[in-house]
Amino acid sequence: MARDKKLIIGNWKMNLGVHEASLYLHKLAEVVKVHRGVDVVIAPTVLAIQTLSLQVNYRQFKLAAQNFYWRDHGAFTGEVSASQLRGIVQYGLVGHSERRHVFQETDKDTRAKVQAAIRNGIRPILCIGETASEKAMNETNDALYDQLIGGLANVTSEELESVVIAYEPVWAIGTGNNAVPLDVAKAVRTIRHHLRHLYGTKAASAVQVIYGGSVTEHSAADYLSLPDIDGLLIGGASLDARAFAAIVEKAHNQEKVKR
Ligand code: PEP
């Protein structure tokens, strides 16, 4: 997958029911412009995915699952599989810090979900990031390495092309305490260094790496202007249509500067 486009992903988390989500998408569609250099992805609650898939203009937005189970079928009450989401969503979040820390998902779960996504033609967005205590103890580098190894263990260099890595420091998510852009740039360089070590230069440099953690329309450009960052994962601010559209415009402006 080429890195010639910015990727802006809105994670609605457990907000908006089916009807609200549909109304909100309608509103979003009016304010978010389609730009050739920007892919805009929406991750609604699983309940709304089907409805939104019938409503969405896939030229304007792609859809992502916030979560899914790694088995394709079977006796797994309450779960939704990547094979059931196939053809409806183009992306799937994997290893989001809320999955890891609230639902105790392990690297083993993450690895299996990355595989399930790839097997079903869904691009996994593998979320990795250090906790506040790892940061305080200067362990960011190791935490990123462990989570990359943990999530990508069975991924080949050909498959790596479809994977997106989201650098999301746990302490920055939903806290209003966003990371300093230069620190993000450093972490992204570290991620690429690890990917090079695991997959070689060519495969590593083709991977889209994005940042997430309390980004707003006011801070978005500071990240998007960093050369190694290919986009943003937006939680809270994606629930404000005007703010989300403004972030998409910032991504477009950055792409224009590059061209
Ligand atoms: C997220 O959910 O991945 C996220 C980055 O949330 P927020 O923007 O609210 O910190």
Side-chain angles (χ1 to χ4, degrees):
M1 218 60 56
R3 283 181 60 207
D4 55 357
K5 283 185 169 195
K6 293 275 191 243
L7 188 56
I8 304 295
I9 304 170
N11 175 17
W12 295 354
K13 312 198 187 202
M14 201 174 69
N15 295 296
L16 308 177
V18 178
H19 187 58
E20 292 167 312
S22 177
L23 288 176
Y24 182 63
L25 181 67
H26 185 74
K27 188 165 157 200
L28 212 54
E30 287 178 346
V31 289
V32 172
K33 297 206 181 68
V34 178
H35 296 299
R36 223 167 11 111
V38 187
D39 280 328
V40 183
V41 182
I42 302 295
T45 168
V46 68
L47 199 62
I49 287 178
Q50 166 75 2
T51 307
L52 298 194
S53 76
L54 301 173
Q55 173 185 343
V56 74
N57 168 3
Y58 279 110
R59 276 193 59 242
Q60 186 173 25
F61 301 111
K62 306 280 187 276
L63 294 178
Q66 293 178 17
N67 182 39
F68 51 88
Y69 191 51
W70 58 274
R71 296 265 197 200
D72 283 346
H73 308 279
F76 303 103
T77 302
E79 294 294 331
V80 173
S81 69
S83 77
Q84 292 170 317
L85 290 161
R86 187 186 188 111
I88 304 177
V89 302
Q90 292 69 44
Y91 293 82
L93 294 178
V94 179
H96 189 281
S97 86
E98 287 148 20
R99 299 300 317 170
R100 291 181 193 264
H101 298 284
V102 182
F103 299 99
Q104 274 73 49
E105 283 189 4
T106 62
D107 279 336
K108 190 163 168 256
D109 299 316
T110 300
R111 172 153 72 242
K113 289 183 179 192
V114 167
Q115 282 299 301
I118 293 173
R119 181 166 78 235
N120 286 289
I122 294 170
R123 295 188 66 192
I125 301 162
L126 175 62
C127 303
I128 60 173
E130 78 284 3
T131 61
S133 64
E134 284 165 338
K135 180 177 160 64
M137 286 159 69
N138 228 354
E139 289 175 355
T140 299
N141 201 333
D142 290 347
L144 296 178
Y145 188 70
D146 290 348
Q147 288 170 42
L148 280 174
I149 292 264
L152 298 176
N154 300 323
V155 173
T156 66
S157 51
E158 288 74 35
E159 290 170 339
L160 186 71
E161 244 199 79
S162 75
V163 177
V164 177
I165 305 291
Y167 170 56
E168 295 215 299
V170 177
W171 50 269
I173 298 177
T175 58
N177 185 16
N178 54 315
V180 174
L182 284 180
D183 289 346
V184 174
K186 191 170 157 215
V188 171
R189 277 199 300 278
T190 300
I191 289 169
R192 285 203 196 282
H193 169 82
H194 292 328
L195 289 173
R196 265 197 305 279
H197 171 73
L198 296 168
Y199 289 98
T201 306
K202 190 160 172 265
S205 50
V207 177
Q208 284 183 303
V209 183
I210 65 176
Y211 168 71
S214 295
V215 177
T216 65
E217 63 184 298
H218 307 294
S219 59
D222 298 341
Y223 300 103
L224 290 166
S225 60
L226 297 167
D228 236 15
I229 294 187
D230 301 309
L232 297 168
L233 177 47
I234 314 285
S238 72
L239 292 168
D240 175 343
R242 197 200 46 76
F244 190 63
I247 294 171
V248 172
E249 281 309 294
K250 301 241 150 95
H252 170 59
N253 293 340
Q254 281 305 325
E255 280 300 282
K256 267 198 325 209
V257 171
K258 255 180 37 194
R259 278 161 210 265

PDB file of all heavy atoms in Angstrom, residues 156-177:
ATOM      1  N   THR A 156       4.070 -11.892   6.941  1.00  0.00           N
ATOM      2  CA  THR A 156       5.197 -11.927   6.002  1.00  0.00           C
ATOM      3  C   THR A 156       5.488 -10.514   5.491  1.00  0.00           C
ATOM      4  O   THR A 156       4.661  -9.605   5.654  1.00  0.00           O
ATOM      5  CB  THR A 156       4.853 -12.809   4.777  1.00  0.00           C
ATOM      6  OG1 THR A 156       3.793 -12.161   4.054  1.00  0.00           O
ATOM      7  CG2 THR A 156       4.408 -14.196   5.189  1.00  0.00           C
ATOM      8  N   SER A 157       6.625 -10.348   4.814  1.00  0.00           N
ATOM      9  CA  SER A 157       6.939  -8.998   4.319  1.00  0.00           C
ATOM     10  C   SER A 157       5.956  -8.582   3.225  1.00  0.00           C
ATOM     11  O   SER A 157       5.657  -7.393   3.086  1.00  0.00           O
ATOM     12  CB  SER A 157       8.390  -8.881   3.867  1.00  0.00           C
ATOM     13  OG  SER A 157       8.701  -9.908   3.004  1.00  0.00           O
ATOM     14  N   GLU A 158       5.393  -9.532   2.472  1.00  0.00           N
ATOM     15  CA  GLU A 158       4.375  -9.171   1.467  1.00  0.00           C
ATOM     16  C   GLU A 158       3.117  -8.688   2.176  1.00  0.00           C
ATOM     17  O   GLU A 158       2.479  -7.722   1.768  1.00  0.00           O
ATOM     18  CB  GLU A 158       3.995 -10.380   0.580  1.00  0.00           C
ATOM     19  CG  GLU A 158       5.059 -10.809  -0.423  1.00  0.00           C
ATOM     20  CD  GLU A 158       6.221 -11.531   0.243  1.00  0.00           C
ATOM     21  OE1 GLU A 158       5.986 -12.268   1.224  1.00  0.00           O
ATOM     22  OE2 GLU A 158       7.377 -11.350  -0.206  1.00  0.00           O
ATOM     23  N   GLU A 159       2.751  -9.390   3.250  1.00  0.00           N
ATOM     24  CA  GLU A 159       1.520  -9.024   3.967  1.00  0.00           C
ATOM     25  C   GLU A 159       1.666  -7.690   4.711  1.00  0.00           C
ATOM     26  O   GLU A 159       0.690  -6.975   4.928  1.00  0.00           O
ATOM     27  CB  GLU A 159       1.143 -10.123   4.976  1.00  0.00           C
ATOM     28  CG  GLU A 159       0.663 -11.392   4.309  1.00  0.00           C
ATOM     29  CD  GLU A 159       0.530 -12.565   5.294  1.00  0.00           C
ATOM     30  OE1 GLU A 159       1.163 -12.540   6.369  1.00  0.00           O
ATOM     31  OE2 GLU A 159      -0.203 -13.501   4.971  1.00  0.00           O
ATOM     32  N   LEU A 160       2.905  -7.381   5.084  1.00  0.00           N
ATOM     33  CA  LEU A 160       3.143  -6.166   5.880  1.00  0.00           C
ATOM     34  C   LEU A 160       2.622  -4.905   5.185  1.00  0.00           C
ATOM     35  O   LEU A 160       2.198  -3.956   5.826  1.00  0.00           O
ATOM     36  CB  LEU A 160       4.642  -6.027   6.171  1.00  0.00           C
ATOM     37  CG  LEU A 160       5.024  -4.885   7.110  1.00  0.00           C
ATOM     38  CD1 LEU A 160       4.580  -5.200   8.541  1.00  0.00           C
ATOM     39  CD2 LEU A 160       6.528  -4.622   7.079  1.00  0.00           C
ATOM     40  N   GLU A 161       2.641  -4.950   3.858  1.00  0.00           N
ATOM     41  CA  GLU A 161       2.169  -3.797   3.066  1.00  0.00           C
ATOM     42  C   GLU A 161       0.756  -3.363   3.434  1.00  0.00           C
ATOM     43  O   GLU A 161       0.410  -2.197   3.316  1.00  0.00           O
ATOM     44  CB  GLU A 161       2.157  -4.211   1.595  1.00  0.00           C
ATOM     45  CG  GLU A 161       3.110  -3.438   0.753  1.00  0.00           C
ATOM     46  CD  GLU A 161       2.740  -3.551  -0.703  1.00  0.00           C
ATOM     47  OE1 GLU A 161       1.814  -2.864  -1.135  1.00  0.00           O
ATOM     48  OE2 GLU A 161       3.388  -4.358  -1.381  1.00  0.00           O
ATOM     49  N   SER A 162      -0.075  -4.337   3.826  1.00  0.00           N
ATOM     50  CA  SER A 162      -1.475  -3.976   4.106  1.00  0.00           C
ATOM     51  C   SER A 162      -1.677  -3.528   5.555  1.00  0.00           C
ATOM     52  O   SER A 162      -2.759  -3.096   5.930  1.00  0.00           O
ATOM     53  CB  SER A 162      -2.395  -5.166   3.800  1.00  0.00           C
ATOM     54  OG  SER A 162      -2.276  -6.142   4.823  1.00  0.00           O
ATOM     55  N   VAL A 163      -0.621  -3.630   6.378  1.00  0.00           N
ATOM     56  CA  VAL A 163      -0.752  -3.287   7.799  1.00  0.00           C
ATOM     57  C   VAL A 163      -0.492  -1.792   8.004  1.00  0.00           C
ATOM     58  O   VAL A 163       0.424  -1.225   7.417  1.00  0.00           O
ATOM     59  CB  VAL A 163       0.256  -4.110   8.644  1.00  0.00           C
ATOM     60  CG1 VAL A 163       0.183  -3.715  10.119  1.00  0.00           C
ATOM     61  CG2 VAL A 163       0.018  -5.602   8.470  1.00  0.00           C
ATOM     62  N   VAL A 164      -1.329  -1.175   8.839  1.00  0.00           N
ATOM     63  CA  VAL A 164      -1.079   0.202   9.277  1.00  0.00           C
ATOM     64  C   VAL A 164      -0.637   0.107  10.734  1.00  0.00           C
ATOM     65  O   VAL A 164      -1.227  -0.647  11.514  1.00  0.00           O
ATOM     66  CB  VAL A 164      -2.369   1.056   9.209  1.00  0.00           C
ATOM     67  CG1 VAL A 164      -2.124   2.471   9.739  1.00  0.00           C
ATOM     68  CG2 VAL A 164      -2.928   1.095   7.788  1.00  0.00           C
ATOM     69  N   ILE A 165       0.391   0.854  11.110  1.00  0.00           N
ATOM     70  CA  ILE A 165       0.782   0.902  12.521  1.00  0.00           C
ATOM     71  C   ILE A 165       0.325   2.246  13.087  1.00  0.00           C
ATOM     72  O   ILE A 165       0.628   3.303  12.525  1.00  0.00           O
ATOM     73  CB  ILE A 165       2.327   0.794  12.693  1.00  0.00           C
ATOM     74  CG1 ILE A 165       2.890  -0.466  12.006  1.00  0.00           C
ATOM     75  CG2 ILE A 165       2.705   0.835  14.175  1.00  0.00           C
ATOM     76  CD1 ILE A 165       2.525  -1.783  12.626  1.00  0.00           C
ATOM     77  N   ALA A 166      -0.434   2.187  14.188  1.00  0.00           N
ATOM     78  CA  ALA A 166      -0.844   3.425  14.861  1.00  0.00           C
ATOM     79  C   ALA A 166      -0.043   3.549  16.150  1.00  0.00           C
ATOM     80  O   ALA A 166      -0.160   2.698  17.046  1.00  0.00           O
ATOM     81  CB  ALA A 166      -2.333   3.401  15.164  1.00  0.00           C
ATOM     82  N   TYR A 167       0.784   4.599  16.215  1.00  0.00           N
ATOM     83  CA  TYR A 167       1.503   4.860  17.465  1.00  0.00           C
ATOM     84  C   TYR A 167       0.566   5.652  18.366  1.00  0.00           C
ATOM     85  O   TYR A 167       0.225   6.804  18.065  1.00  0.00           O
ATOM     86  CB  TYR A 167       2.804   5.631  17.203  1.00  0.00           C
ATOM     87  CG  TYR A 167       3.432   6.114  18.489  1.00  0.00           C
ATOM     88  CD1 TYR A 167       3.745   5.203  19.505  1.00  0.00           C
ATOM     89  CD2 TYR A 167       3.681   7.465  18.712  1.00  0.00           C
ATOM     90  CE1 TYR A 167       4.287   5.632  20.709  1.00  0.00           C
ATOM     91  CE2 TYR A 167       4.228   7.898  19.916  1.00  0.00           C
ATOM     92  CZ  TYR A 167       4.522   6.968  20.909  1.00  0.00           C
ATOM     93  OH  TYR A 167       5.050   7.402  22.111  1.00  0.00           O
ATOM     94  N   GLU A 168       0.145   5.001  19.451  1.00  0.00           N
ATOM     95  CA  GLU A 168      -0.810   5.621  20.364  1.00  0.00           C
ATOM     96  C   GLU A 168      -0.323   5.447  21.798  1.00  0.00           C
ATOM     97  O   GLU A 168      -0.626   4.427  22.444  1.00  0.00           O
ATOM     98  CB  GLU A 168      -2.176   4.942  20.222  1.00  0.00           C
ATOM     99  CG  GLU A 168      -2.819   5.138  18.874  1.00  0.00           C
ATOM    100  CD  GLU A 168      -4.334   5.243  19.012  1.00  0.00           C
ATOM    101  OE1 GLU A 168      -4.960   4.294  19.474  1.00  0.00           O
ATOM    102  OE2 GLU A 168      -4.865   6.298  18.702  1.00  0.00           O
ATOM    103  N   PRO A 169       0.429   6.440  22.315  1.00  0.00           N
ATOM    104  CA  PRO A 169       0.856   6.325  23.708  1.00  0.00           C
ATOM    105  C   PRO A 169      -0.381   6.215  24.603  1.00  0.00           C
ATOM    106  O   PRO A 169      -1.316   7.016  24.470  1.00  0.00           O
ATOM    107  CB  PRO A 169       1.604   7.627  23.966  1.00  0.00           C
ATOM    108  CG  PRO A 169       1.634   8.391  22.689  1.00  0.00           C
ATOM    109  CD  PRO A 169       0.811   7.696  21.677  1.00  0.00           C
ATOM    110  N   VAL A 170      -0.393   5.231  25.473  1.00  0.00           N
ATOM    111  CA  VAL A 170      -1.595   4.953  26.277  1.00  0.00           C
ATOM    112  C   VAL A 170      -1.996   6.174  27.099  1.00  0.00           C
ATOM    113  O   VAL A 170      -3.183   6.509  27.205  1.00  0.00           O
ATOM    114  CB  VAL A 170      -1.320   3.734  27.199  1.00  0.00           C
ATOM    115  CG1 VAL A 170      -2.510   3.453  28.102  1.00  0.00           C
ATOM    116  CG2 VAL A 170      -0.983   2.500  26.364  1.00  0.00           C
ATOM    117  N   TRP A 171      -1.002   6.884  27.641  1.00  0.00           N
ATOM    118  CA  TRP A 171      -1.257   8.039  28.499  1.00  0.00           C
ATOM    119  C   TRP A 171      -1.851   9.219  27.731  1.00  0.00           C
ATOM    120  O   TRP A 171      -2.348  10.168  28.332  1.00  0.00           O
ATOM    121  CB  TRP A 171       0.041   8.460  29.210  1.00  0.00           C
ATOM    122  CG  TRP A 171       1.201   8.609  28.268  1.00  0.00           C
ATOM    123  CD1 TRP A 171       2.106   7.642  27.924  1.00  0.00           C
ATOM    124  CD2 TRP A 171       1.552   9.768  27.513  1.00  0.00           C
ATOM    125  NE1 TRP A 171       3.001   8.133  27.006  1.00  0.00           N
ATOM    126  CE2 TRP A 171       2.689   9.436  26.741  1.00  0.00           C
ATOM    127  CE3 TRP A 171       1.037  11.049  27.419  1.00  0.00           C
ATOM    128  CZ2 TRP A 171       3.304  10.329  25.883  1.00  0.00           C
ATOM    129  CZ3 TRP A 171       1.648  11.963  26.558  1.00  0.00           C
ATOM    130  CH2 TRP A 171       2.768  11.592  25.799  1.00  0.00           C
ATOM    131  N   ALA A 172      -1.799   9.160  26.410  1.00  0.00           N
ATOM    132  CA  ALA A 172      -2.294  10.289  25.602  1.00  0.00           C
ATOM    133  C   ALA A 172      -3.724  10.073  25.121  1.00  0.00           C
ATOM    134  O   ALA A 172      -4.360  11.007  24.638  1.00  0.00           O
ATOM    135  CB  ALA A 172      -1.374  10.503  24.401  1.00  0.00           C
ATOM    136  N   ILE A 173      -4.230   8.857  25.255  1.00  0.00           N
ATOM    137  CA  ILE A 173      -5.545   8.542  24.671  1.00  0.00           C
ATOM    138  C   ILE A 173      -6.667   9.006  25.582  1.00  0.00           C
ATOM    139  O   ILE A 173      -6.761   8.585  26.741  1.00  0.00           O
ATOM    140  CB  ILE A 173      -5.663   7.035  24.379  1.00  0.00           C
ATOM    141  CG1 ILE A 173      -4.604   6.648  23.345  1.00  0.00           C
ATOM    142  CG2 ILE A 173      -7.058   6.696  23.861  1.00  0.00           C
ATOM    143  CD1 ILE A 173      -4.565   5.190  23.038  1.00  0.00           C
ATOM    144  N   GLY A 174      -7.485   9.894  25.051  1.00  0.00           N
ATOM    145  CA  GLY A 174      -8.673  10.358  25.765  1.00  0.00           C
ATOM    146  C   GLY A 174      -8.367  11.196  26.996  1.00  0.00           C
ATOM    147  O   GLY A 174      -9.241  11.408  27.833  1.00  0.00           O
ATOM    148  N   THR A 175      -7.136  11.681  27.107  1.00  0.00           N
ATOM    149  CA  THR A 175      -6.739  12.426  28.309  1.00  0.00           C
ATOM    150  C   THR A 175      -6.611  13.925  28.055  1.00  0.00           C
ATOM    151  O   THR A 175      -6.493  14.703  29.002  1.00  0.00           O
ATOM    152  CB  THR A 175      -5.370  11.927  28.816  1.00  0.00           C
ATOM    153  OG1 THR A 175      -4.419  12.089  27.750  1.00  0.00           O
ATOM    154  CG2 THR A 175      -5.424  10.477  29.240  1.00  0.00           C
ATOM    155  N   GLY A 176      -6.567  14.318  26.797  1.00  0.00           N
ATOM    156  CA  GLY A 176      -6.305  15.724  26.468  1.00  0.00           C
ATOM    157  C   GLY A 176      -4.818  16.040  26.575  1.00  0.00           C
ATOM    158  O   GLY A 176      -4.380  17.169  26.360  1.00  0.00           O
ATOM    159  N   ASN A 177      -4.032  15.019  26.882  1.00  0.00           N
ATOM    160  CA  ASN A 177      -2.603  15.187  27.121  1.00  0.00           C
ATOM    161  C   ASN A 177      -1.843  14.627  25.912  1.00  0.00           C
ATOM    162  O   ASN A 177      -1.273  13.545  25.986  1.00  0.00           O
ATOM    163  CB  ASN A 177      -2.289  14.407  28.414  1.00  0.00           C
ATOM    164  CG  ASN A 177      -0.875  14.579  28.869  1.00  0.00           C
ATOM    165  OD1 ASN A 177      -0.185  15.488  28.416  1.00  0.00           O
ATOM    166  ND2 ASN A 177      -0.436  13.697  29.758  1.00  0.00           N
TER     167      ASN A 177
END
